[in-house]
């Protein structure tokens, strides 16, 4: 007997199913996999009796429905028709004589709701519903004919995107159209592949057009919806993609904390919108039946939301996946509860676990078969190379390898991934660099121009310290703090905030500092020197005050102004003009959070000791007269 | 094909094997389990073809040896005779014609070395070897006869421990002897159960005596030995035991960091000693064969080391387990690499992963069948209760449940465990409390007098802040800092350290502060006020200086002494006599590491704002004349 008593069936048995199986093992939940491959990655991990049929096949789904309490998916390309029928019949045939067994199609729940999955399968419909729910997406147009595509080209101008509405994944089914000539070619290509809708009356070409968006970053957020409709979200991550294949994920995304909140809000709203699609959208006839509407099947589970961050700070939604997602692998090691476990908890109606990060920084690197080329190595050679990579990444401290158990390495195939965690932004970048070098040196994957140097340099961790000063005349003093932070590899921002000349800016700066991600503020000011104390009154962060020496009173005026704060509002005051020490104090403070910085402080102390010892040596050897 | 190409066999298929299987899954390593139970916890997780025979049976071991590259154990009560024979033959028959297959008894490695396991199986021998290697253990004496036991009683005085040398676990085989009458009874009991040695010539009774140790805490350290002989260790944890069954593990142990280092050193030395037992200890005849000695089989794997912390700060070793250990379960969620994964990596000769904690605090609570009673509930009732507990603990934020898949709940049986993680010492205690209450309220386990209130109050987190002052005359000022820290739930220590009267003490205090576990120092001083600056020169921690007002100069003397530090050594100075603000600044600083404290600061700021608003209201309503 399983102590948590539900049985779960999953359509699809790839690496996402495999990691879902790992979560099911921990909870001791029986997970039955439907996948045509007998030893698919998920099935390898379990002695349960699985179903060796395609997950698109109605028979397979019906067999599964008779054996489990809940059906879910690890891939969206499933047979939603059958799934919807199961749900509809369940609600229609309320008075049917239930079988004695707890199992049976009339007892099974399907989460996420098949209506939601059906909408998500169709990217055009997905965008339409999101747009109707006021979720920002890129402008898009239906193209029922080639003529409509030409009109879309006029509307969006070249280059623009021509996309298959259904069946697209990892970049397949998406074409960037750069000219009218390319448009014809793209149209022919896509329309030959396009999957028609179920509705045979429709004139649907299966193709739509989307305006090309210039984004500054690709972001992603995992959202988990509970059966009671509540949604929780994971941290915002940045995904580094090339040719629509994800290579690296940075968690958290190195962006302003306020942008993160915006992205999370958008992602949550999108999931609420997509999950509130009711049964009757596919069944107009039963629209009048109020008792049916009352019993609209709920939706639940984890959703991957891909977003674009635009140059102007706007965030728009790219697309949604109704399942665990590559951009959420990092949650296994880096969050209090993984995306896989929370998916299972959600669809079984169990309490959701905390989605918080439990480490400061993490990153995920996909281990892919040779990318961006059609040359294939003999399968065994490539397997050996991948095997070398696997063994070498184990040598990176804080790295966790996930090998998916796939038999053969193929071009671009996801063979595994590695997650690294670290307390420090510098270290996380170094660890990712080390792993990318391992991949490069094993000759797998055209990685050189994908994610190694070029993109890594683009990883600029979000600032942890804000250096502010009342006037640019303070800069010669305050830049010493900046130099110190640089020497410890501490990311910071530096700007002018004047208490007396820009009071509103000061309030806004101080009040948002923590939410934007800062951990410490260094404020320099001369004369009346109100800045440090006023900022300290407006933020819960530690504020370091640097009294800057003015023309009179030798800086004692600023020292008193900064240090003599009333009870309740502390400012950590350093010596007059000693911004060096302010930078060092910030490093000592961050050392509590980031042990590698604390080690840096220890090295620094040894270094200043050495400097004095060199002087001692010199003084003693040349004598004081010649010194 | 497995990409990491070795196959591993494990003797024993309980929960430790199950969690080893989970680690094997991640690495895609094939793990074959030997266990008489067909659906033992470990086997449930895998479709591999396992061996359904007792792990003590030579046939089972030989079959396994023919199928895998490495054999390991998840329980020490295995047939070491057969394992040693395999290893010995491997080295004797060097010129044997190897089979074509990569598998075969002549190719298999056995880690940890069966000699080490054999020594560990015999607690008396284990203690003897540790003692010979200068590892501190409790005084013990062999008792070949009852008379010898009486002598031991005279030596150790009552109460003392009578122990079975072999086969003991979870308290079985250990008797506390309180009087001579009890001694006879205990002797008869133990000698009827005692397992004789293999050597039939010996007069071994199978019993030994051990002096009763008054310890202040039980500690444990997981140590991983690599094939090259290097050892790494995990953090020190505290185990809360009752009747020799572990109930709760606190990680890290709430003790001084210097004690931790001492415990880690002891644990590492012990493992090195036990792993250097050579093959020829069991095979005198081959002692002359030098080439054999050259090829002494190496040992590798994870070891659990249980320790006692005595009142005087000494640490002695209790016992060692040659396998993953209950006290190391927390590593799955709380460390960069789990004990299970590092065990597999070590025995396969792969690089060891980082053993560092990746969270500030964690704890593990065993979920046990009703303890400390012989009353049994009907199995299904107890299963239902356990099922309730499992579901309820999922509601605790930051909790991860591990359900072992055991069919029936029994008295004291380990059915699962739950790990909680947190950034804050107060929160971790609250989370453990919540889980213990869930167990209590479900009526499982006499927990009330085991670990709930009584022992929880005994969990006193290690101090994060040190408050020091030059003289007790500073206490009226400095205690305000202590009060502030208390109000934020920040553990601290407070003492007198005088720069001028106890200079050596000051140096020693400052130099050890970080290693002892402090994150921030608050130093108060008056007059010449050298303490804060001198301490800052001797520690990498942030030092907050409080100028204490003396009889002359209004404290300006101390302010200047504290704030006007030279470049390189910062002191975070607060206002004269304002130790309140020093406490608040410490809270703001710790907020970078412990978000819950940062939230406390936000609440505090709202509260002081409210206080002023109340005054505003009063002033405006009663008028300034009547205020």
């Amino acid at each position: 007997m399983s102590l948590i008593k539900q049985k779960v069936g999953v359509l699809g048995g790839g690496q996402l199913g495999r990691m879902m199986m790992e979560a099911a093992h921990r909870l001791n939940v029986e997970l039955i996999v439907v996948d045509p491959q007998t030893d698919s990655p998920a099935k390898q991990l379990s002695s349960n009796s699985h179903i060796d049929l395609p997950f698109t096949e109605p028979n397979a789904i019906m067999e599964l429905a008779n054996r489990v309490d809940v059906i879910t998916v690890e891939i969206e390309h499933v047979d939603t028709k059958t799934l919807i029928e199961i749900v509809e019949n369940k609600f229609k045939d309320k008075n049917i004589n239930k079988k004695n067994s707890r199992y049976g199609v009339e007892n099974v729940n399907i989460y996420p709701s098949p209506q939601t999955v059906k909408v998500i399968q169709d990217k055009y419909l997905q965008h339409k519903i999101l747009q109707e729910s006021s979720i920002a997406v890129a402008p898009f147009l239906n193209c029922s004919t080639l003529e409509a595509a030409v009109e879309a080209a006029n509307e969006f101008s070249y280059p623009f995107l021509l996309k298959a509405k259904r069946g697209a994944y990892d970049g397949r089914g998406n074409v960037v159209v750069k000219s009218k000539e390319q448009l014809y070619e793209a149209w022919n290509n896509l329309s030959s592949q396009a999957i028609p809708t179920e509705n045979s009356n429709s004139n649907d070409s299966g193709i739509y057009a989307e305006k090309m968006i210039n984004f500054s970053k690709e972001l992603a957020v995992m959202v988990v919806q509970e059966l009671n409709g509540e949604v929780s979200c994971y941290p915002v991550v940045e995904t580094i993609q090339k040719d629509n294949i994800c290579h690296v994920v940075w968690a958290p995304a190195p962006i302003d904390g306020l942008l993160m909140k915006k992205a999370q809000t958008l992602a949550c709203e999108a999931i609420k919108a997509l999950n509130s699609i009711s049964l009757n959208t596919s069944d107009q006839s039963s629209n009048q039946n109020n008792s049916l509407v009352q019993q609209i099947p709920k939706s639940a589970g984890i959703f991957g939301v891909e977003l674009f961050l635009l140059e102007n700070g706007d965030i728009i939604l790219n697309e949604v996946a109704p399942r665990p997602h590559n951009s959420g692998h990092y949650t296994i090691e880096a969050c209090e509860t993984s995306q896989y476990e929370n998916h299972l908890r959600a669809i079984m109606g169990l309490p959701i676990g905390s989605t918080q990060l439990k480490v400061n920084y993490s990153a995920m690197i996909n281990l892919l078969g040779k990318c961006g080329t059609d040359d294939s190595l003999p399968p065994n050679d490539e397997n050996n190379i991948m095997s070398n990579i696997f063994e070498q990444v184990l040598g990176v401290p804080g790295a966790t390898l996930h090998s998916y158990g796939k038999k053969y390495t193929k071009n671009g195939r996801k063979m595994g991934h590695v997650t690294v965690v670290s307390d420090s932004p510098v270290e996380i970048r170094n660890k990712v660099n080390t792993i990318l070098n391992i991949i490069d040196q094993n000759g797998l994957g055209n990685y050189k121009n994908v994610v190694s140097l070029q993109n890594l340099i683009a990883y600029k961790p979000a600032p942890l310290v804000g250096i502010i000063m009342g006037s640019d005349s303070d800069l010669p003093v305050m830049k010493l703090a900046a130099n110190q932070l640089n020497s410890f590899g501490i990311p910071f921002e530096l700007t002018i905030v004047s208490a007396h000349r820009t009071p509103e800016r000061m309030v806004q700066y101080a009040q948002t500092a923590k939410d934007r991600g800062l951990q410490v503020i260094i404020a320099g000011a001369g004369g009346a020197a109100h800045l440090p104390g006023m900022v300290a009154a407006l933020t819960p962060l530690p504020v370091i005050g640097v009294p800057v020496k003015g023309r009179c009173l030798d800086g004692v005026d600023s020292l008193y102004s900064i240090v003599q704060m009333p009870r309740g509002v502390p400012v950590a005051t350093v010596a007059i003009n000693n911004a060096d020490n302010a930078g060092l104090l910030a490093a000592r403070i961050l050392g509590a959070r980031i042990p590698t910085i604390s080690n840096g402080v220890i090295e620094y102390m040894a270094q200043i000791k050495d400097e004095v010892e060199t002087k001692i040596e010199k003084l003693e050897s040349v004598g004081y007269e010649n010194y």
Side-chain angles (χ1 to χ4, degrees), chain A residues 101-113:
Chain A
S101 158
R102 62 189 276 219
Y103 300 114
V105 287
E106 71 281 4
N107 287 325
V108 76
N109 289 313
I110 304 177
Y111 303 126
S113 133

PDB file of all heavy atoms in Angstrom, chain A residues 101-113:
ATOM      1  N   SER A 101     -14.711  -0.703  -8.357  1.00  0.00           N
ATOM      2  CA  SER A 101     -13.304  -0.343  -8.253  1.00  0.00           C
ATOM      3  C   SER A 101     -13.162   1.162  -8.025  1.00  0.00           C
ATOM      4  O   SER A 101     -13.988   1.955  -8.461  1.00  0.00           O
ATOM      5  CB  SER A 101     -12.598  -0.727  -9.541  1.00  0.00           C
ATOM      6  OG  SER A 101     -11.411   0.016  -9.690  1.00  0.00           O
ATOM      7  N   ARG A 102     -12.090   1.565  -7.309  1.00  0.00           N
ATOM      8  CA  ARG A 102     -11.840   2.998  -7.206  1.00  0.00           C
ATOM      9  C   ARG A 102     -11.351   3.538  -8.535  1.00  0.00           C
ATOM     10  O   ARG A 102     -11.359   4.733  -8.780  1.00  0.00           O
ATOM     11  CB  ARG A 102     -10.823   3.302  -6.104  1.00  0.00           C
ATOM     12  CG  ARG A 102      -9.450   2.700  -6.339  1.00  0.00           C
ATOM     13  CD  ARG A 102      -8.578   2.851  -5.110  1.00  0.00           C
ATOM     14  NE  ARG A 102      -7.950   4.149  -5.073  1.00  0.00           N
ATOM     15  CZ  ARG A 102      -6.696   4.348  -4.677  1.00  0.00           C
ATOM     16  NH1 ARG A 102      -5.952   3.324  -4.304  1.00  0.00           N
ATOM     17  NH2 ARG A 102      -6.172   5.545  -4.648  1.00  0.00           N
ATOM     18  N   TYR A 103     -10.818   2.667  -9.383  1.00  0.00           N
ATOM     19  CA  TYR A 103     -10.326   3.114 -10.678  1.00  0.00           C
ATOM     20  C   TYR A 103     -11.401   2.961 -11.739  1.00  0.00           C
ATOM     21  O   TYR A 103     -12.341   2.204 -11.587  1.00  0.00           O
ATOM     22  CB  TYR A 103      -9.070   2.333 -11.071  1.00  0.00           C
ATOM     23  CG  TYR A 103      -7.981   2.534 -10.074  1.00  0.00           C
ATOM     24  CD1 TYR A 103      -7.520   1.478  -9.294  1.00  0.00           C
ATOM     25  CD2 TYR A 103      -7.462   3.811  -9.858  1.00  0.00           C
ATOM     26  CE1 TYR A 103      -6.541   1.681  -8.342  1.00  0.00           C
ATOM     27  CE2 TYR A 103      -6.496   4.019  -8.900  1.00  0.00           C
ATOM     28  CZ  TYR A 103      -6.036   2.956  -8.141  1.00  0.00           C
ATOM     29  OH  TYR A 103      -5.088   3.173  -7.199  1.00  0.00           O
ATOM     30  N   GLY A 104     -11.208   3.653 -12.837  1.00  0.00           N
ATOM     31  CA  GLY A 104     -12.180   3.608 -13.909  1.00  0.00           C
ATOM     32  C   GLY A 104     -12.256   4.996 -14.501  1.00  0.00           C
ATOM     33  O   GLY A 104     -12.008   5.982 -13.797  1.00  0.00           O
ATOM     34  N   VAL A 105     -12.581   5.076 -15.796  1.00  0.00           N
ATOM     35  CA  VAL A 105     -12.590   6.384 -16.449  1.00  0.00           C
ATOM     36  C   VAL A 105     -13.516   7.366 -15.767  1.00  0.00           C
ATOM     37  O   VAL A 105     -13.311   8.566 -15.832  1.00  0.00           O
ATOM     38  CB  VAL A 105     -12.972   6.294 -17.947  1.00  0.00           C
ATOM     39  CG1 VAL A 105     -11.850   5.698 -18.750  1.00  0.00           C
ATOM     40  CG2 VAL A 105     -14.252   5.520 -18.142  1.00  0.00           C
ATOM     41  N   GLU A 106     -14.560   6.846 -15.074  1.00  0.00           N
ATOM     42  CA  GLU A 106     -15.493   7.775 -14.432  1.00  0.00           C
ATOM     43  C   GLU A 106     -14.934   8.342 -13.121  1.00  0.00           C
ATOM     44  O   GLU A 106     -15.529   9.224 -12.526  1.00  0.00           O
ATOM     45  CB  GLU A 106     -16.870   7.106 -14.215  1.00  0.00           C
ATOM     46  CG  GLU A 106     -16.907   6.035 -13.152  1.00  0.00           C
ATOM     47  CD  GLU A 106     -16.346   4.700 -13.634  1.00  0.00           C
ATOM     48  OE1 GLU A 106     -15.863   4.641 -14.782  1.00  0.00           O
ATOM     49  OE2 GLU A 106     -16.361   3.742 -12.852  1.00  0.00           O
ATOM     50  N   ASN A 107     -13.816   7.806 -12.665  1.00  0.00           N
ATOM     51  CA  ASN A 107     -13.240   8.296 -11.407  1.00  0.00           C
ATOM     52  C   ASN A 107     -11.946   9.078 -11.574  1.00  0.00           C
ATOM     53  O   ASN A 107     -11.429   9.645 -10.635  1.00  0.00           O
ATOM     54  CB  ASN A 107     -12.961   7.115 -10.464  1.00  0.00           C
ATOM     55  CG  ASN A 107     -14.243   6.544  -9.900  1.00  0.00           C
ATOM     56  OD1 ASN A 107     -15.184   7.292  -9.642  1.00  0.00           O
ATOM     57  ND2 ASN A 107     -14.290   5.234  -9.757  1.00  0.00           N
ATOM     58  N   VAL A 108     -11.418   9.075 -12.775  1.00  0.00           N
ATOM     59  CA  VAL A 108     -10.082   9.649 -12.954  1.00  0.00           C
ATOM     60  C   VAL A 108     -10.150  11.178 -13.069  1.00  0.00           C
ATOM     61  O   VAL A 108     -11.107  11.740 -13.602  1.00  0.00           O
ATOM     62  CB  VAL A 108      -9.397   9.020 -14.186  1.00  0.00           C
ATOM     63  CG1 VAL A 108      -9.953   9.590 -15.488  1.00  0.00           C
ATOM     64  CG2 VAL A 108      -7.890   9.201 -14.137  1.00  0.00           C
ATOM     65  N   ASN A 109      -9.161  11.836 -12.519  1.00  0.00           N
ATOM     66  CA  ASN A 109      -8.999  13.276 -12.718  1.00  0.00           C
ATOM     67  C   ASN A 109      -7.878  13.515 -13.724  1.00  0.00           C
ATOM     68  O   ASN A 109      -6.928  12.721 -13.791  1.00  0.00           O
ATOM     69  CB  ASN A 109      -8.637  13.962 -11.401  1.00  0.00           C
ATOM     70  CG  ASN A 109      -9.812  13.987 -10.455  1.00  0.00           C
ATOM     71  OD1 ASN A 109     -10.921  14.342 -10.841  1.00  0.00           O
ATOM     72  ND2 ASN A 109      -9.573  13.591  -9.213  1.00  0.00           N
ATOM     73  N   ILE A 110      -7.997  14.580 -14.490  1.00  0.00           N
ATOM     74  CA  ILE A 110      -6.961  14.889 -15.473  1.00  0.00           C
ATOM     75  C   ILE A 110      -6.469  16.319 -15.233  1.00  0.00           C
ATOM     76  O   ILE A 110      -7.229  17.271 -15.356  1.00  0.00           O
ATOM     77  CB  ILE A 110      -7.484  14.731 -16.916  1.00  0.00           C
ATOM     78  CG1 ILE A 110      -8.029  13.309 -17.096  1.00  0.00           C
ATOM     79  CG2 ILE A 110      -6.361  15.014 -17.922  1.00  0.00           C
ATOM     80  CD1 ILE A 110      -8.636  13.036 -18.457  1.00  0.00           C
ATOM     81  N   TYR A 111      -5.198  16.432 -14.834  1.00  0.00           N
ATOM     82  CA  TYR A 111      -4.604  17.746 -14.555  1.00  0.00           C
ATOM     83  C   TYR A 111      -3.247  17.838 -15.207  1.00  0.00           C
ATOM     84  O   TYR A 111      -2.454  16.914 -15.082  1.00  0.00           O
ATOM     85  CB  TYR A 111      -4.448  17.967 -13.051  1.00  0.00           C
ATOM     86  CG  TYR A 111      -5.722  17.852 -12.272  1.00  0.00           C
ATOM     87  CD1 TYR A 111      -5.813  16.981 -11.195  1.00  0.00           C
ATOM     88  CD2 TYR A 111      -6.851  18.594 -12.627  1.00  0.00           C
ATOM     89  CE1 TYR A 111      -6.993  16.871 -10.476  1.00  0.00           C
ATOM     90  CE2 TYR A 111      -8.027  18.480 -11.910  1.00  0.00           C
ATOM     91  CZ  TYR A 111      -8.098  17.619 -10.841  1.00  0.00           C
ATOM     92  OH  TYR A 111      -9.260  17.513 -10.130  1.00  0.00           O
ATOM     93  N   PRO A 112      -2.910  18.954 -15.846  1.00  0.00           N
ATOM     94  CA  PRO A 112      -3.771  20.109 -16.046  1.00  0.00           C
ATOM     95  C   PRO A 112      -4.956  19.745 -16.929  1.00  0.00           C
ATOM     96  O   PRO A 112      -4.922  18.747 -17.642  1.00  0.00           O
ATOM     97  CB  PRO A 112      -2.855  21.123 -16.735  1.00  0.00           C
ATOM     98  CG  PRO A 112      -1.754  20.316 -17.318  1.00  0.00           C
ATOM     99  CD  PRO A 112      -1.581  19.146 -16.420  1.00  0.00           C
ATOM    100  N   SER A 113      -5.985  20.573 -16.855  1.00  0.00           N
ATOM    101  CA  SER A 113      -7.212  20.326 -17.606  1.00  0.00           C
ATOM    102  C   SER A 113      -6.885  20.161 -19.085  1.00  0.00           C
ATOM    103  O   SER A 113      -6.123  20.942 -19.664  1.00  0.00           O
ATOM    104  CB  SER A 113      -8.153  21.509 -17.383  1.00  0.00           C
ATOM    105  OG  SER A 113      -8.701  21.956 -18.599  1.00  0.00           O
TER     106      SER A 113
END
